Amino acid sequence: MRGYCFVAFLLMVLQIEAQQGFIIPQPQQVSYENEQYDYTYATVTFDDPSLKSEARILREYLSSLSANVPVEVGRAPQKTPAIRLSRITADTLLPDGWYSIRTSASGSVIQAIDARGAFYGVQSMMQQLKPGSNHSIVLHAFSIDEDYPRFQWRGMHLDVSRHFFPVEFIKRYIDLLAMHKMNTFHWHLTDDQGWRIEIKSFPKLTEVGAWRKGSMVGHYSEQRFDSLRYGGFYTQEDVKQVVAYARERHVTIVPEIEMPGHAKAALAAYPEFSCTGGPFEVERGWGVFDDVFCPTENTFGFLQQVLDEVMLLFPGKYIHIGGDECPKTRWESCEKCKKRMQDEGLKDGHELQSYFIQRIERFVNSRDRQIIGWDEILEGGLAPNAAVMSWRGTEGGIAAASQNHPVVMSPGSHCYFDHYQADPRQEPVAIGGLTTLEKVLQFDPVPETLKGKPAEAFILGAQGNVWTEYINTPADVERMALPRLSALAEVLWTGPGETDYSEFLGRLNSLRTHWDRMELNYSRSYLRPEISPDTLNGIAGFRVKAQQPCVFAWDRGESRPVKLGFIPISTERLGERVLQVWPERNAEQAISRTRVQVHKALGKRVTLSVPPSEHYPGKGGFTLVDGLEGVLPRVNREWLGWSGDDVTVELDLGMATELNRVELGLLHDPTNWIYAPDTVEISSSVDGKIWTPWLPGRKSLEKRKWMYETTTVQRLRYFRFAFKNAGVIPQGSPGAGKKSWLFLDEIAVY
Ligand code: TNX
């Protein structure tokens, strides 16, 4: 009897799982069936020689699932059960990448019009195959009437300059793309911190340019360095291997050779291509640097030779020429540049950059290829045939598509996988920003303003970018890319807005069993409940967002269920407390932990004389009394920022309140143009009518807090804080001549 119950239970579980379905990205049409087939042997056959490589890849995969299942591969249908790859000719025009699948106990068929479609069919099939008990292989039955991608550019980028990753890992990265039916790998091969591709006609590019004398450690804001020699590069033989590997997986590689900026590594090797003549060193730190390629005939000759070698190695249509973040400082004071501008009738540095890119474009076009560049290549006029990669938002992409130029969307907001993926307090250091899994899934590569317009057709697709300033190892790349890559693949293949987040998580769960087998270091941070400061009925607390019912505890106290998705802050004890929230059924240790400053102004009314900048709006005045300290590096949610303004903040505690200490949370971070205020004048009031200066002495705590304490307890209700902005940034400091920023995170009253 007990055995029977157990079997019934198992079947039920299987059915529920099967109904949810397994495949990411979700096919255009699919039905997941309730049966499953147990294979103790298998054959893979193909009816057209063009499908041989796909058959081989499937065979290898089957063998990796079980060492005990013999897998034959061949042309003719042999023993059953077989998986047959069949090439069909269609009488109607089918979309690029089209395939269909039928499964049955005796045999399954993947039909496609070409090898590419068959490859995608094989990927779907692989996600439905798992190791069975008894060393068998299990196929979860399903059928796909048809499947094909929504977008043609389904890309992932990897920066191998800031940190270098070996060839073996590059192949594994291509496997990740292929598994998700992505088809474009943007290989960012050169930058200030290292030149990573062998160029035979300029050997110093790698002899000198591939090595730096140290690297930044910790976050940029700390400005710390080690002095370990660091570097590496890919030989042309390596590159050929990787290109062939990618081709077998229907992935096109777009190599990027950065110009005219981000060129310090090249200039360290060949300073003659700069404006000043150098000497230079390969950069150790991250950032944007003034020394860039000088647009002389010699420089163009050099770059053309480099590009010629690059184009021999990479057969794809697009060559990425960078174009981003090129300061015009050197050009503006360089005689050669001034002469060039005069001769060519160029009125400023932007037009000179545009001239630079157009020259390179003409050369690349002469070799029958196209250039693609970051959206800065729009400035000063777009080269006639260029494609644009829009990274500073989607505006550049909209402008380019409206001028009938192909566009790849890669806005920082949704596509930068070097940003934090969950609450930074619980993540390893990252560059900044916050791009959650759910946010990626909500991405739509086609901006609203282009919908239904002819320009929409110029949006080729999108791409996730993995910049590696803060990503040092292959395992870190995996942790930052997965699972966000899966969400982007879903958007690009299935289509934007097609997927419900919790349904997606169900499928992700299944995909993860494959990742576990591959020992991939994917992030589990998305499992932690997300909490955000808010009020409920005038009480300050935290809104909880999670897929399952959650419980919470303060410090190590007793745990209680979260009701109405909200946790009020208890003020019974003031000072720092730790709030822990986790899913009731917490198999994966997904605990969200937040430090909360409990004080007497929490959730009280705050009025601001000037609204904060639209870039750092927080939740208005409430952000100053939400109990959360802003984190460093900033992700800008808990900070309010003002550019150049003097600001007066008024706080109403609601009733006369006993207090003796006020702490102002603020930031002093000159590298990022942020300055503590010159002065703060504080006044207080009992009735809101008569104000008197409030004058306790000030203590500064770690550039982060100004503390004011009285010797005796006072009863007050209102406070006014008049912050005087630090003014124009002095010469010699980053952002000199610009307005300084004032950043506040909390006004705590004790
Ligand atoms: C900006 S995105 C850059 C890169 C950095 C990245 C960090 C782009 C075209 N340029 O050089 O690595 O930000 O997120």
Side-chain angles (χ1 to χ4, degrees), residues 159 162 191 258 262 324-325 374 376 391 416 418-419 431 465 467 469:
D159 165 11
R162 276 59 177 268
D191 215 304
E258 270 266 19
H262 284 298
D324 62 310
E325 299 180 324
W374 301 107
E376 282 93 332
W391 71 281
Y416 270 49
D418 58 337
H419 289 184
I431 195 162
N465 291 341
W467 298 102
E469 287 97 331

Side-chain angles (χ1 to χ4, degrees), residues 45-117:
T45 74
F46 52 99
D47 65 9
D48 187 277
S50 66
L51 308 183
K52 186 171 175 190
S53 159
E54 284 63 39
R56 215 200 60 232
I57 285 172
L58 180 55
R59 197 257 329 260
E60 276 168 20
Y61 182 74
L62 286 162
S63 303
S64 77
L65 292 179
S66 167
N68 282 37
V69 174
V71 187
E72 285 171 43
V73 63
R75 287 283 311 264
Q78 299 153 12
K79 306 193 270 191
T80 54
I83 300 176
R84 189 153 59 88
L85 306 187
S86 171
R87 182 163 173 185
I88 56 166
T89 39
D91 38 17
T92 53
L93 204 60
L94 294 174
D96 192 37
W98 186 98
Y99 71 91
S100 74
I101 296 182
R102 291 260 160 273
T103 59
S104 82
S106 56
S108 305
V109 189
I110 299 174
Q111 288 193 319
I113 39 175
D114 56 10
R116 180 185 302 277

